[in-house]
């Protein structure tokens, strides 16, 4: 193991959640994906995390969410720290104080694992650099993405802004199952660099089946091989669509991926669904408005009942009005979170409060 300094140090990072258009579903080894996935980072849905180290013979951590101790998260963080231990020698001789807050409500049904695990991974990567004897202190995004993956697979993609690819894909030889790669600006049409995403909070309740359990059901899934093949083809197609700026093809692919994900859940053994009647009603209304009124809208979904409405930034005004009339009544407490493609993580200065 490389040498490390026993010092007190602090790192603070803000990191976004992301939405996958080609979905990661199913894994092996230490959170290695069955298939490649492509996502974009969000701008408004972010986690801010500060990690302070102090030398100690009894390494460990204490975690606070929004200023209050949250024992419910301790097991997840402990598992994560065990997984990353061999990459971060300073963990052997330091105690960590971890403070975190989310800009979006914790139990809103928005996955906070991508933003929270990537924010934590970025802090730990910076601390690793501060504690090591090397001169180099620039952020090592490959290490941050590798560590984030070990916390939550989809978090690997959140260490970058814009569009990101994670998972080995033959068309890109730098791609890896271990970490994500940012897609270059030249690979994405400007329309998709400013894509808008409004998140319809259909049912903010706790998920009946966790993503971890859902991934595990892919191990013996009858459609496993076909799914891997479908995701590989959709990765190739989406890369071409993003470059060409083709909205119709984009909506068709995003919806096919979202419904395939939910189809895999329904055809698992045991079978389950996370769809809510209002999720289906929203899908119906979105498709009807596109077909009958030519509205440039489509949707994606995560492993939950919420609908992510996707549309071009320049149609924002018209679509917001339609959304209020047609989709808002389908949301719990009429809640919609408006978001868009974001620029990615940023380091916070030591005097920036976490909840600013
Ligand atoms: O990162 P996890 O283990 O919570 O898995 C997330 C999987 C999906 O959100 C459903 C798809 C994806 O690629 O983000």
């Amino acid at each position: 193991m490389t040498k490390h300094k026993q010092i007190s140090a602090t790192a603070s990072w803000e990191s976004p959640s992301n939405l996958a258009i080609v979905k990661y579903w199913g894994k092996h080894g230490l959170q290695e994906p069955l298939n490649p996935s492509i996502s974009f980072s969000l701008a408004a849905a972010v986690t801010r995390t500060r990690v302070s180290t102090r030398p100690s013979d009894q390494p460990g951590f204490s975690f606070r969410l929004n200023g209050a101790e949250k024992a419910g998260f301790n097991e997840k963080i402990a598992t994560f720290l065990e997984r990353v231990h061999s990459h971060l020698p300073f963990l052997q001789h330091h105690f960590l104080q971890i403070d975190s807050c989310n800009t979006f409500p914790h139990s809103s049904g928005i996955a906070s694992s991508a933003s929270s695990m990537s924010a934590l991974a970025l802090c730990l990567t910076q601390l690793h650099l501060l504690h090591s004897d090397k001169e180099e202190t620039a952020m090592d995004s490959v290490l941050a993405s590798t560590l984030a993956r070990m916390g939550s697979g989809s978090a690997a993609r959140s260490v970058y802004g814009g569009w990101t690819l994670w998972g080995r894909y033959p068309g890109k030889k730098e791609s890896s199952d271990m970490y994500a790669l940012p897609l270059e600006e030249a690979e994405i049409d400007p329309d998709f660099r400013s894509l808008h995403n409004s998140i319809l909070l259909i049912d903010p309740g706790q998920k009946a089946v966790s993503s971890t359990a859902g991934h595990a059901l892919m191990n013996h899934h009858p459609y496993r091989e076909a799914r891997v093949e479908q995701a590989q083809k959709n990765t190739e197609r989406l890369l071409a669509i993003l470059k060409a700026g083709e909205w119709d093809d984009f909506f068709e692919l995003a919806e096919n991926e979202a419904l395939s994900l939910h189809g895999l859940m329904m055809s698992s053994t045991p079978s389950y669904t996370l769809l809510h009647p209002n999720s289906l009603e929203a899908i119906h209304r979105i498709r009807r408005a596109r077909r009958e009124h030519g509205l440039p809208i489509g949707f994606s979904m995560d492993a939950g009942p919420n609908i992510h409405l996707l549309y071009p930034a320049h149609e924002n005004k018209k679509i917001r009005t339609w959304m209020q009339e047609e989709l808002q009544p389908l949301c719990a407490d009429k809640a919609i979170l408006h978001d868009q493609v974001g620029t990615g993580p940023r380091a916070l200065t030591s005097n920036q409060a976490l909840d600013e």
Side-chain angles (χ1 to χ4, degrees):
M1 273 198 179
T2 42
K3 272 179 66 186
H4 62 273
K5 294 185 252 186
Q6 294 202 32
I7 48 166
S8 295
T10 296
S12 308
W13 280 82
E14 174 185 286
S15 191
S17 185
N18 69 69
L19 177 71
I21 297 300
V22 177
K23 307 290 180 182
Y24 143 61
W25 200 236
K27 56 184 168 182
H28 62 93
L30 189 46
Q31 315 247 84
E32 289 181 49
L34 280 190
N35 61 267
S37 57
I38 297 181
S39 66
F40 61 86
S41 291
L42 293 168
V46 299
T47 297
R48 299 192 183 109
T49 298
R50 177 176 53 226
V51 183
S52 300
T53 60
R54 64 175 159 80
S56 171
D57 294 338
Q58 287 172 319
F61 69 93
S62 166
F63 174 68
R64 288 187 296 233
L65 185 65
N66 302 323
E69 300 228 335
K70 279 278 187 306
F73 288 92
N74 285 354
E75 203 182 311
K76 200 160 186 206
I77 297 171
T79 306
F80 171 62
L81 291 176
E82 264 165 45
R83 288 178 182 170
V84 299
H85 211 262
S86 61
H87 293 266
L88 306 172
F90 75 91
L91 291 178
Q92 286 175 71
H93 300 291
H94 290 86
F95 186 88
L96 312 181
Q97 174 61 51
I98 307 171
D99 283 279
S100 215
C101 73
N102 295 326
T103 55
F104 47 102
H106 160 60
S107 54
S108 65
I110 301 300
S112 57
S113 58
S115 54
S116 58
M117 285 299 171
S118 59
L120 184 54
L122 286 156
C123 290
L124 293 178
T125 303
Q126 190 181 351
L127 288 166
H128 171 64
L129 299 169
L130 292 171
H131 282 270
S132 69
D133 271 341
K134 295 183 211 132
E135 293 291 303
E136 188 54 64
T137 51
M139 176 46 64
D140 179 345
S141 299
V142 168
L143 177 60
S145 179
T146 305
L147 301 180
R149 184 198 97 235
M150 295 182 198
S152 174
S154 55
R157 299 184 306 242
S158 276
V159 305
Y160 303 107
W163 289 81
T164 306
L165 167 75
W166 170 44
R168 215 149 27 82
Y169 163 66
K172 271 206 186 283
K173 59 178 187 330
E174 330 82 271
S175 61
S176 169
D177 286 346
M178 302 298 156
Y179 49 83
L181 291 176
L183 295 175
E184 308 278 332
E185 221 175 82
E187 294 176 275
I188 315 288
D189 182 272
D191 259 17
F192 287 124
R193 277 187 248 144
S194 58
L195 172 77
H196 276 223
N197 172 24
S198 293
I199 309 162
L200 315 178
L201 301 179
I202 301 280
D203 180 2
Q206 202 71 21
K207 276 195 272 184
V209 180
S210 69
S211 289
T212 308
H215 285 295
L217 291 174
M218 285 307 287
N219 292 342
H220 303 288
H221 200 290
Y223 304 152
R224 182 183 155 109
E225 273 174 43
R227 166 59 194 155
V228 172
E229 203 179 304
Q230 177 195 34
Q232 275 165 354
K233 284 196 181 133
N234 279 344
T235 298
E236 185 176 359
R237 278 190 64 212
L238 182 58
L239 288 171
I241 290 168
L242 291 175
K243 192 154 191 188
E246 285 291 343
W247 282 100
D248 291 344
D249 293 346
F250 177 73
F251 293 143
E252 200 258 321
L253 186 146
E255 295 179 5
N256 175 274
E257 274 288 317
L259 294 175
S260 295
L261 171 70
H262 284 265
L264 290 165
M265 295 173 197
M266 290 186 223
S267 50
S268 293
T269 306
S271 142
Y272 67 106
T273 184
L274 301 177
L275 294 173
H276 184 281
N278 283 2
S279 317
L280 291 174
E281 182 58 29
I283 290 173
H284 174 69
R285 292 184 189 188
I286 292 164
R287 287 181 160 173
R288 189 177 56 199
R290 186 168 67 219
R291 194 176 55 241
E292 292 177 8
H293 306 292
L295 271 193
I297 49 177
F299 67 88
S300 182
M301 301 184 76
D302 260 335
N306 300 324
I307 300 286
H308 288 251
L309 191 72
L310 305 166
Y311 52 97
H314 55 84
E315 298 280 5
N316 187 23
K317 240 174 127 186
K318 188 161 83 186
I319 291 166
R320 287 270 189 112
T321 311
W322 174 84
M323 200 186 317
Q324 262 161 18
E325 281 166 22
E326 287 285 315
L327 299 180
Q328 205 163 15
L330 301 174
C331 301
D333 298 327
K334 304 212 172 357
I336 300 182
L337 302 178
H338 299 291
D339 215 324
Q340 64 191 85
V341 176
T343 52
R346 64 185 178 116
L348 302 173
T349 58
S350 52
N351 44 16
Q352 259 172 322
L354 287 191
D355 52 3
E356 249 170 24

